[in-house]
Amino acid sequence: MHVFDGCVFPYPSGTLSIARFARELSELGYTGCVAAGPVLHNRSYDIPVWAVRYLTHVQIRFLSREIGRSLQNELIYVQAGESGFNRQVLTTPGVQVLADLHTTPKDGFDRHCAQLAAERGIGIDLSVRPLIELRDIARQRVIRRYEEIFTLQNRYEFPIVLSSHASDITHLKSPREMIRLFSLVWKEEETLINALESIYHIKTRTGPVVEV
Amino acid sequence: MRLRPSMRENFRYILGRIIPDLTLESRDLYRSIAESVTSLYGDSISAQMWPSVPFLCGSYGIVRCRRGMERELETALSAITQIQGIPLAVRPVKTSGTIRTLKEKIPKWCEKQTAKAVISNITCDVLVSRRGKIDLKEKGIYHDIPRYITVEDTEDLYYDE
């Protein structure tokens, strides 16, 4: 079983070094993690750490160029925007995960996006941080948005990636805590357990694009 | 009202660890748990849950709730982000039907040692815990170096006498 934290932010974005993240996550029960920072490939960590290039506020015409700049074996995460932008991102080769969907406008991720994500095996990253950091209406909006995404996932079966987006030691959550917190949104535990494993399957996928 | 033992309410106890290691008062922990439960589930579930903090020792605390509500309480514990303005997390470690079982899980001794570490040519006072985890003690230098590191990240490490 490959239980991965979908994305963590080590130093300089966060307060933990990558080695410390790897140790903490290993103790929490993860078998790997994805870090948005400089991962040294000649150094061994307690668990496998994959580097990610996290593209935020990128214009669609520069997206292919930015993807081309990424290093070998680096995952590509792109911050989501309005629905047209998301469709363009989902059809761009090289993108593995669409992230930050809670910040998109209403209908930013519709059934067309869901279908494209399912066809191309692109993961949809859901962060646990808005669920714990926001309060009242803001949290209710995020729960509703996540529920819509889970409903679309139930229909189109695109991969969902659960991540802590941790930048501090207090943001880290164990797999059990992640499942508990996401059970506020979606009650089926099996879907949530699969979501913790999905980044491993996205990274190691070798098959072609399949039309859904 | 005094009830027969068979009519008394059954409780479940959750051992929680406060991250980073801090010593708090149980009423502060109770207030943040109550706030978290209410904001997540509302007054109705909060009233049915009966959360309380019967035991707090260092950075470990035991939280009580009615049987059947432990999943909701675990979720609420995970959703705590601060207590009295101090950013921290409460991590559920184990759930049990007795306090004694959970007390056995609490480490008996403080595992942290003070030391001096050299990181990026800066010498800092640090706390070294088991498995080589290092927490920097000094404040105001975190722009230059990460606050939480491991022994492998340091250039040199001298344990205090």
Side-chain angles (χ1 to χ4, degrees):
Chain A
M1 194 169 165
H2 303 279
V3 183
F4 274 66
D5 190 331
C7 189
V8 293
F9 293 94
Y11 179 80
S13 308
T15 57
L16 279 81
S17 68
I18 295 175
R20 181 64 182 268
F21 258 126
R23 194 150 295 173
E24 292 284 346
L25 289 169
S26 160
E27 283 182 6
L28 287 174
Y30 288 94
T31 58
C33 76
V34 177
V39 178
L40 301 173
H41 293 288
N42 55 359
R43 195 173 153 182
S44 68
Y45 300 105
D46 290 14
I47 51 173
V49 180
W50 293 339
V52 61
R53 194 167 156 82
Y54 202 100
L55 301 172
T56 56
H57 306 294
V58 66
Q59 288 182 25
I60 200 72
R61 60 196 164 123
F62 299 130
L63 185 61
S64 298
R65 194 179 70 185
E66 288 294 326
I67 291 166
R69 280 183 187 169
S70 60
L71 303 170
Q72 204 184 5
N73 288 326
E74 218 174 25
L75 287 159
I76 305 288
Y77 280 37
V78 181
Q79 191 180 37
E82 45 88 33
S83 68
F85 174 83
N86 293 343
R87 281 180 213 173
Q88 289 280 328
V89 169
L90 290 166
T91 49
T92 307
V95 175
Q96 271 115 355
V97 174
L98 188 66
D100 290 343
L101 271 120
H102 63 277
T103 59
T104 57
K106 202 178 176 191
D107 299 327
F109 188 81
D110 53 15
R111 63 189 179 86
H112 297 294
C113 293
Q115 197 166 357
L116 283 171
E119 278 173 8
R120 290 163 186 275
I122 295 173
I124 303 302
D125 178 66
L126 301 183
S127 169
V128 79
R129 272 181 77 175
L131 292 178
I132 57 174
E133 288 184 352
L134 299 176
R135 287 284 183 275
D136 305 328
I137 298 281
R139 176 150 66 186
Q140 289 165 27
R141 278 203 195 111
V142 172
I143 290 174
R144 209 159 54 216
R145 179 67 51 84
Y146 281 2
E147 195 185 351
E148 282 168 17
I149 293 168
F150 272 106
T151 309
L152 287 168
Q153 196 275 340
N154 201 26
R155 167 74 179 82
Y156 293 100
E157 297 184 343
F158 54 82
I160 281 183
V161 179
L162 301 187
S163 56
S164 65
H165 279 215
S167 58
D168 190 60
I169 200 160
T170 57
H171 301 151
L172 286 170
K173 299 286 168 210
S174 67
R176 188 185 162 112
E177 283 178 280
M178 294 277 262
I179 289 168
R180 288 278 181 275
L181 286 164
F182 275 101
S183 68
L184 294 167
V185 181
W186 197 251
K187 298 291 174 206
E188 286 174 26
E189 265 192 26
E190 202 183 326
T191 309
L192 300 174
I193 292 165
N194 290 338
L196 285 168
E197 295 180 31
S198 60
I199 192 66
Y200 176 83
H201 298 302
I202 291 168
K203 171 89 171 165
T204 55
R205 184 169 59 89
T206 51
V209 170
V210 180
E211 200 164 302
V212 177
Chain B
M1 184 173 63
R2 194 170 166 82
L3 295 170
R4 274 187 281 171
S6 60
M7 292 172 73
R8 280 185 207 144
E9 199 62 51
N10 286 309
F11 294 107
R12 296 289 269 172
Y13 301 89
I14 298 174
L15 177 66
R17 189 181 168 199
I18 297 157
I19 308 272
D21 295 340
L22 289 170
T23 308
L24 300 164
E25 284 193 37
S26 59
R27 65 166 169 245
D28 294 333
L29 180 60
Y30 167 75
R31 278 189 198 128
S32 57
I33 292 167
E35 191 273 330
S36 182
V37 172
T38 311
S39 89
L40 270 180
Y41 297 106
D43 293 335
S44 163
I45 299 286
S46 190
Q48 288 170 33
M49 193 183 279
W50 299 5
S52 69
V53 182
F55 180 79
L56 189 65
C57 173
S59 59
Y60 285 86
I62 294 173
V63 188
R64 189 178 75 177
C65 68
R66 278 167 93 180
R67 196 170 69 180
M69 304 299 282
E70 56 269 16
R71 288 169 72 94
E72 285 81 4
L73 184 59
E74 266 186 49
T75 313
L77 289 179
S78 303
I80 291 172
T81 52
Q82 59 166 1
I83 297 177
Q84 292 283 306
I86 305 163
L88 49 76
V90 181
R91 194 167 287 160
V93 178
K94 189 178 169 69
T95 305
S96 174
T98 61
I99 293 179
R100 195 177 68 179
T101 315
L102 297 181
K103 278 185 177 173
E104 287 166 7
K105 276 270 171 190
I106 300 171
K108 298 283 184 297
W109 60 90
C110 178
E111 297 160 334
K112 291 197 173 176
Q113 269 186 290
T114 55
K116 284 199 189 315
V118 181
I119 313 136
S120 307
N121 295 323
I122 302 167
T123 308
C124 349
D125 290 323
V126 296
L127 288 169
V128 187
S129 56
R130 66 186 179 90
R131 290 197 66 200
K133 292 194 283 190
I134 295 178
D135 300 352
L136 268 63
K137 277 172 33 180
E138 291 168 28
K139 290 187 171 67
I141 53 171
Y142 305 135
H143 295 299
D144 305 320
I145 44 177
R147 185 174 177 184
Y148 301 100
I149 54 174
T150 61
V151 171
E152 292 82 24
D153 291 320
T154 60
E155 288 148 24
D156 241 325
L157 186 66
Y158 312 100
Y159 286 98
D160 293 346
E161 291 291 313

Coordinates of all heavy atoms in Angstrom, one line a residue, chain B residues 60-128:
Chain B
Y60 N 0.6 15.6 26.5 CA -0.4 14.6 26.3 C -1.7 14.9 27.1 O -1.6 15.2 28.2 CB 0.1 13.2 26.6 CG 1.1 12.6 25.6 CD1 2.5 12.9 25.7 CD2 0.7 11.8 24.6 CE1 3.4 12.4 24.8 CE2 1.6 11.3 23.7 CZ 3.0 11.6 23.8 OH 3.9 11.1 22.9
G61 N -2.8 14.7 26.4 CA -4.0 14.9 27.1 C -5.0 13.8 26.8 O -5.0 13.2 25.7
I62 N -5.9 13.5 27.8 CA -6.9 12.5 27.5 C -8.3 13.3 27.5 O -8.6 14.0 28.4 CB -6.9 11.4 28.6 CG1 -5.6 10.6 28.5 CG2 -8.2 10.5 28.5 CD1 -5.4 9.6 29.6
V63 N -9.0 13.0 26.4 CA -10.3 13.7 26.2 C -11.4 12.7 26.2 O -11.2 11.6 25.7 CB -10.3 14.4 24.8 CG1 -11.5 15.3 24.7 CG2 -9.0 15.2 24.6
R64 N -12.5 13.0 26.9 CA -13.6 12.1 27.1 C -14.8 12.5 26.2 O -15.0 13.7 26.0 CB -14.0 12.0 28.6 CG -14.9 11.0 28.9 CD -15.2 11.0 30.4 NE -16.1 12.1 30.7 CZ -16.6 12.4 31.9 NH1 -16.2 11.6 32.9 NH2 -17.4 13.4 32.2
C65 N -15.5 11.5 25.8 CA -16.8 11.8 25.1 C -17.7 10.6 25.3 O -17.3 9.5 25.8 CB -16.5 12.0 23.6 SG -16.0 10.6 22.7
R66 N -19.0 10.8 24.9 CA -19.9 9.6 25.0 C -19.6 8.6 24.0 O -19.1 8.9 22.9 CB -21.3 10.1 24.8 CG -21.9 10.7 26.1 CD -23.1 11.4 25.7 NE -24.3 10.6 25.8 CZ -25.6 11.1 25.6 NH1 -25.7 12.3 25.1 NH2 -26.6 10.3 25.7
R67 N -19.8 7.3 24.3 CA -19.5 6.3 23.4 C -20.4 6.5 22.1 O -21.6 6.8 22.2 CB -19.8 4.9 24.0 CG -19.1 3.8 23.2 CD -19.2 2.5 23.9 NE -20.6 2.0 24.0 CZ -20.9 0.9 24.6 NH1 -20.0 0.1 25.2 NH2 -22.2 0.5 24.6
G68 N -19.7 6.3 20.9 CA -20.4 6.4 19.7 C -20.1 7.8 19.0 O -20.4 8.0 17.8
M69 N -19.5 8.7 19.8 CA -19.2 10.0 19.3 C -17.7 10.2 19.1 O -17.2 11.3 18.8 CB -19.7 11.1 20.2 CG -21.1 11.0 20.6 SD -22.2 11.2 19.2 CE -22.1 12.9 18.9
E70 N -16.9 9.1 19.2 CA -15.4 9.3 19.2 C -14.9 9.7 17.8 O -13.9 10.4 17.8 CB -14.7 8.0 19.7 CG -15.0 6.7 19.0 CD -16.2 6.0 19.7 OE1 -17.0 6.6 20.4 OE2 -16.4 4.8 19.4
R71 N -15.6 9.3 16.8 CA -15.1 9.7 15.4 C -15.3 11.2 15.2 O -14.4 11.8 14.7 CB -15.9 8.9 14.3 CG -15.6 7.5 14.3 CD -16.6 6.8 13.4 NE -16.4 7.1 12.0 CZ -15.7 6.4 11.1 NH1 -15.1 5.3 11.5 NH2 -15.5 6.7 9.9
E72 N -16.4 11.7 15.7 CA -16.6 13.1 15.6 C -15.6 13.9 16.4 O -15.1 15.0 16.0 CB -18.0 13.5 16.0 CG -19.1 13.2 15.0 CD -19.5 11.7 15.0 OE1 -19.0 10.9 15.9 OE2 -20.3 11.3 14.2
L73 N -15.3 13.4 17.6 CA -14.4 14.0 18.5 C -13.0 14.0 17.9 O -12.3 15.0 18.0 CB -14.4 13.4 19.9 CG -13.5 14.1 20.9 CD1 -13.9 15.5 21.1 CD2 -13.5 13.4 22.2
E74 N -12.6 12.9 17.3 CA -11.3 12.8 16.7 C -11.2 13.8 15.5 O -10.1 14.5 15.4 CB -11.1 11.4 16.0 CG -10.4 10.4 16.9 CD -10.1 9.1 16.2 OE1 -9.6 9.2 15.1 OE2 -10.4 8.1 16.8
T75 N -12.2 14.0 14.8 CA -12.2 15.0 13.7 C -12.1 16.4 14.2 O -11.3 17.2 13.7 CB -13.5 14.9 12.9 OG1 -13.8 13.5 12.6 CG2 -13.5 15.7 11.6
A76 N -12.8 16.6 15.3 CA -12.7 18.0 15.9 C -11.3 18.2 16.5 O -10.8 19.4 16.4 CB -13.8 18.1 17.0
L77 N -10.7 17.2 17.1 CA -9.3 17.4 17.6 C -8.4 17.7 16.5 O -7.5 18.6 16.6 CB -8.9 16.1 18.3 CG -9.5 15.8 19.7 CD1 -8.9 14.4 20.2 CD2 -9.3 16.8 20.7
S78 N -8.6 17.0 15.3 CA -7.7 17.3 14.2 C -7.9 18.7 13.6 O -7.0 19.2 12.9 CB -8.0 16.3 13.1 OG -7.8 15.0 13.5
A79 N -9.0 19.3 13.8 CA -9.4 20.6 13.3 C -8.9 21.7 14.2 O -9.1 22.9 13.8 CB -10.8 20.7 13.0
I80 N -8.3 21.4 15.3 CA -7.8 22.5 16.2 C -6.6 23.1 15.6 O -5.6 22.4 15.2 CB -7.6 22.0 17.6 CG1 -8.9 21.6 18.3 CG2 -6.8 23.0 18.5 CD1 -8.8 20.9 19.6
T81 N -6.5 24.4 15.5 CA -5.3 25.1 15.0 C -4.6 25.9 16.0 O -3.4 26.3 15.8 CB -5.7 26.0 13.8 OG1 -6.8 26.8 14.2 CG2 -6.2 25.1 12.6
Q82 N -5.3 26.3 17.0 CA -4.6 27.2 18.0 C -5.3 27.0 19.4 O -6.5 26.7 19.4 CB -4.6 28.6 17.6 CG -6.0 29.2 17.3 CD -6.0 30.7 17.2 OE1 -4.9 31.3 17.3 NE2 -7.1 31.3 17.0
I83 N -4.6 27.3 20.4 CA -5.1 27.3 21.8 C -4.6 28.6 22.4 O -3.4 28.8 22.5 CB -4.8 26.1 22.6 CG1 -5.4 24.8 22.0 CG2 -5.2 26.2 24.1 CD1 -5.0 23.5 22.7
Q84 N -5.5 29.5 22.9 CA -5.1 30.7 23.5 C -4.1 31.5 22.6 O -3.1 32.1 23.0 CB -4.4 30.5 24.8 CG -5.2 29.9 25.9 CD -6.1 31.0 26.5 OE1 -5.7 32.0 27.0 NE2 -7.4 30.7 26.5
G85 N -4.4 31.5 21.3 CA -3.6 32.2 20.3 C -2.3 31.6 19.9 O -1.6 32.1 19.1
I86 N -2.0 30.5 20.5 CA -0.7 29.8 20.2 C -1.0 28.7 19.1 O -1.8 27.9 19.3 CB -0.1 29.0 21.4 CG1 0.1 30.0 22.6 CG2 1.2 28.4 21.1 CD1 0.3 29.3 23.9
P87 N -0.4 28.9 17.9 CA -0.7 27.9 16.9 C -0.1 26.5 17.3 O 1.0 26.3 17.6 CB 0.1 28.4 15.7 CG 1.0 29.5 16.1 CD 0.6 29.8 17.5
L88 N -1.0 25.5 17.2 CA -0.6 24.1 17.6 C -1.6 23.2 17.0 O -2.6 23.6 16.4 CB -0.4 23.9 19.1 CG -1.5 24.4 20.0 CD1 -2.7 23.4 20.0 CD2 -1.0 24.4 21.4
A89 N -1.3 21.9 17.1 CA -2.2 20.9 16.6 C -2.4 19.8 17.7 O -1.5 19.6 18.5 CB -1.6 20.2 15.4
V90 N -3.5 19.2 17.7 CA -3.8 18.1 18.7 C -4.0 16.9 17.8 O -4.9 16.8 17.0 CB -5.0 18.4 19.5 CG1 -5.2 17.2 20.5 CG2 -4.9 19.7 20.3
R91 N -3.1 15.9 18.0 CA -3.1 14.7 17.2 C -3.6 13.6 17.9 O -3.1 13.1 19.0 CB -1.6 14.5 16.8 CG -1.5 13.5 15.7 CD -0.1 13.5 15.1 NE 0.2 14.7 14.3 CZ 1.4 15.2 14.1 NH1 2.5 14.6 14.5 NH2 1.6 16.2 13.3
P92 N -4.8 13.0 17.5 CA -5.3 11.8 18.3 C -4.4 10.6 18.1 O -4.0 10.3 17.0 CB -6.6 11.6 17.5 CG -6.9 12.7 16.7 CD -5.6 13.4 16.4
V93 N -4.0 10.0 19.2 CA -3.0 8.9 19.2 C -3.7 7.6 19.3 O -3.5 6.6 18.6 CB -2.0 9.1 20.3 CG1 -1.0 7.9 20.3 CG2 -1.3 10.4 20.2
K94 N -4.6 7.5 20.3 CA -5.3 6.2 20.6 C -6.7 6.4 21.2 O -6.8 7.4 22.0 CB -4.4 5.4 21.5 CG -4.8 3.9 21.7 CD -3.8 3.2 22.6 CE -4.4 1.9 23.0 NZ -4.4 0.9 22.0
T95 N -7.6 5.6 20.9 CA -8.9 5.6 21.5 C -9.1 4.4 22.4 O -8.7 3.3 22.0 CB -10.0 5.7 20.5 OG1 -9.7 6.8 19.6 CG2 -11.4 5.9 21.0
S96 N -9.7 4.6 23.6 CA -9.9 3.4 24.5 C -11.1 3.6 25.3 O -11.6 4.7 25.4 CB -8.6 3.2 25.3 OG -8.8 2.2 26.3
G97 N -11.5 2.6 26.0 CA -12.6 2.7 26.9 C -12.2 3.0 28.4 O -13.1 3.2 29.2
T98 N -10.9 3.0 28.6 CA -10.4 3.3 30.0 C -9.3 4.3 29.9 O -8.5 4.3 29.0 CB -9.9 2.1 30.8 OG1 -8.8 1.5 30.0 CG2 -11.0 1.0 30.9
I99 N -9.2 5.1 31.0 CA -8.1 6.1 31.1 C -6.8 5.4 31.3 O -5.7 5.8 30.8 CB -8.4 7.1 32.2 CG1 -9.6 8.0 31.8 CG2 -7.2 8.0 32.5 CD1 -10.0 9.0 32.9
R100 N -6.8 4.3 32.1 CA -5.6 3.5 32.4 C -4.8 3.1 31.2 O -3.6 3.2 31.1 CB -5.9 2.4 33.4 CG -4.7 1.8 34.1 CD -5.0 0.7 35.0 NE -5.5 -0.5 34.3 CZ -5.8 -1.6 34.9 NH1 -5.8 -1.7 36.2 NH2 -6.2 -2.7 34.2
T101 N -5.5 2.5 30.2 CA -4.9 2.1 29.0 C -4.2 3.2 28.3 O -3.1 3.0 27.8 CB -6.0 1.5 28.1 OG1 -6.8 0.6 28.8 CG2 -5.3 0.7 26.9
L102 N -4.8 4.3 28.3 CA -4.2 5.5 27.6 C -3.0 6.0 28.4 O -2.0 6.4 27.8 CB -5.2 6.6 27.4 CG -6.4 6.2 26.5 CD1 -7.3 7.4 26.3 CD2 -6.0 5.7 25.1
K103 N -3.1 6.0 29.7 CA -2.0 6.5 30.5 C -0.7 5.7 30.3 O 0.4 6.2 30.3 CB -2.3 6.5 32.0 CG -3.2 7.7 32.4 CD -3.4 7.7 33.9 CE -4.1 8.9 34.4 NZ -4.5 8.8 35.8
E104 N -0.9 4.4 30.0 CA 0.2 3.5 29.7 C 0.9 3.9 28.4 O 2.1 3.6 28.2 CB -0.2 2.0 29.6 CG -0.6 1.4 31.0 CD -1.4 0.1 30.9 OE1 -1.5 -0.4 29.7 OE2 -1.8 -0.4 31.9
K105 N 0.2 4.6 27.5 CA 0.8 5.0 26.3 C 1.6 6.2 26.4 O 2.4 6.6 25.5 CB -0.3 5.2 25.3 CG -0.8 4.0 24.6 CD 0.0 3.8 23.3 CE -0.3 2.4 22.7 NZ 0.6 2.1 21.6
I106 N 1.5 7.0 27.4 CA 2.2 8.3 27.6 C 3.6 8.0 28.0 O 3.8 7.3 29.0 CB 1.5 9.2 28.6 CG1 0.0 9.4 28.2 CG2 2.2 10.5 28.8 CD1 -0.8 10.1 29.3
P107 N 4.6 8.5 27.3 CA 6.0 8.3 27.6 C 6.3 8.8 29.0 O 5.8 9.9 29.4 CB 6.8 9.1 26.6 CG 5.9 9.4 25.5 CD 4.5 9.4 26.1
K108 N 7.1 8.1 29.8 CA 7.3 8.4 31.2 C 8.4 9.5 31.4 O 8.5 10.2 32.4 CB 7.8 7.2 32.0 CG 6.7 6.1 32.0 CD 5.6 6.4 33.0 CE 4.6 5.3 33.1 NZ 3.9 5.0 31.9
W109 N 9.2 9.7 30.4 CA 10.3 10.6 30.6 C 10.4 11.6 29.4 O 9.9 11.3 28.3 CB 11.7 9.9 30.7 CG 12.0 9.0 29.6 CD1 12.7 9.4 28.5 CD2 11.6 7.7 29.4 NE1 12.8 8.3 27.6 CE2 12.1 7.3 28.1 CE3 10.8 6.8 30.1 CZ2 11.9 6.0 27.6 CZ3 10.6 5.5 29.6 CH2 11.1 5.1 28.4
C110 N 11.0 12.7 29.6 CA 11.2 13.7 28.6 C 12.4 13.3 27.7 O 13.5 13.0 28.2 CB 11.5 15.1 29.2 SG 11.8 16.3 27.9
E111 N 12.2 13.1 26.4 CA 13.2 12.5 25.6 C 14.1 13.6 24.9 O 15.0 13.2 24.2 CB 12.5 11.7 24.5 CG 11.7 10.6 25.0 CD 10.7 10.1 24.0 OE1 10.2 10.9 23.2 OE2 10.3 8.9 24.1
K112 N 13.9 14.8 25.2 CA 14.6 15.9 24.5 C 15.9 16.3 25.3 O 15.9 16.4 26.5 CB 13.8 17.1 24.3 CG 12.7 16.8 23.3 CD 12.1 18.0 22.7 CE 11.1 17.6 21.6 NZ 10.4 18.8 21.0
Q113 N 17.0 16.5 24.5 CA 18.3 16.9 25.0 C 18.6 18.2 24.5 O 18.4 18.5 23.3 CB 19.4 15.9 24.6 CG 19.6 14.8 25.6 CD 20.8 14.0 25.1 OE1 20.7 13.3 24.1 NE2 21.9 14.1 25.9
T114 N 19.2 19.1 25.3 CA 19.6 20.4 24.7 C 21.0 20.2 24.1 O 21.8 19.4 24.6 CB 19.7 21.5 25.8 OG1 20.5 21.0 26.9 CG2 18.3 21.8 26.4
A115 N 21.3 21.0 23.1 CA 22.5 20.9 22.4 C 22.8 22.2 21.6 O 21.9 23.1 21.6 CB 22.5 19.7 21.4
K116 N 24.0 22.3 21.0 CA 24.2 23.4 20.0 C 24.5 22.8 18.7 O 25.2 21.8 18.6 CB 25.5 24.2 20.5 CG 25.2 25.1 21.7 CD 26.2 26.2 21.8 CE 26.1 26.9 23.1 NZ 24.8 27.4 23.5
A117 N 23.9 23.4 17.7 CA 24.0 22.9 16.3 C 24.5 23.9 15.4 O 24.2 25.1 15.6 CB 22.7 22.3 15.8
V118 N 25.3 23.5 14.4 CA 25.8 24.5 13.4 C 25.1 24.2 12.1 O 25.2 23.1 11.6 CB 27.3 24.3 13.2 CG1 27.8 25.4 12.2 CG2 28.1 24.5 14.5
I119 N 24.3 25.2 11.7 CA 23.5 25.0 10.4 C 23.8 26.2 9.6 O 23.6 27.4 10.0 CB 22.0 24.9 10.7 CG1 21.8 23.9 11.8 CG2 21.3 24.5 9.4 CD1 20.8 24.4 12.8
S120 N 24.2 26.0 8.3 CA 24.6 27.1 7.4 C 25.5 28.1 8.1 O 25.3 29.3 8.0 CB 23.3 27.8 6.9 OG 22.4 26.9 6.4
N121 N 26.5 27.6 8.8 CA 27.5 28.4 9.5 C 26.9 29.3 10.6 O 27.5 30.2 11.1 CB 28.3 29.3 8.6 CG 29.1 28.5 7.6 OD1 29.7 27.5 8.0 ND2 29.2 29.0 6.4
I122 N 25.7 28.9 11.1 CA 25.1 29.6 12.2 C 25.0 28.6 13.4 O 24.5 27.5 13.2 CB 23.7 30.2 11.8 CG1 23.8 31.1 10.6 CG2 23.0 30.9 13.0 CD1 22.4 31.4 10.0
T123 N 25.5 29.1 14.5 CA 25.4 28.2 15.7 C 24.1 28.5 16.5 O 23.9 29.7 16.8 CB 26.6 28.4 16.6 OG1 27.8 28.2 15.8 CG2 26.6 27.3 17.8
C124 N 23.3 27.6 16.8 CA 22.0 27.8 17.5 C 21.8 26.8 18.6 O 22.3 25.7 18.5 CB 20.8 27.7 16.5 SG 21.1 27.6 14.8
D125 N 21.0 27.2 19.6 CA 20.6 26.3 20.6 C 19.5 25.5 20.1 O 18.5 26.0 19.5 CB 20.2 27.1 21.9 CG 21.3 27.8 22.5 OD1 22.4 27.2 22.6 OD2 21.2 28.9 23.0
V126 N 19.6 24.2 20.3 CA 18.5 23.3 19.8 C 18.1 22.3 20.8 O 18.7 22.1 21.9 CB 19.0 22.6 18.5 CG1 19.3 23.5 17.4 CG2 20.2 21.7 18.9
L127 N 17.0 21.7 20.5 CA 16.5 20.5 21.3 C 16.5 19.3 20.4 O 15.9 19.3 19.3 CB 15.1 20.8 21.8 CG 14.9 21.8 22.9 CD1 13.4 22.1 23.0 CD2 15.4 21.3 24.2
V128 N 17.2 18.3 20.9 CA 17.3 17.1 20.1 C 16.5 16.0 20.7 O 16.6 15.7 21.9 CB 18.8 16.6 20.0 CG1 18.9 15.4 19.0 CG2 19.7 17.7 19.6

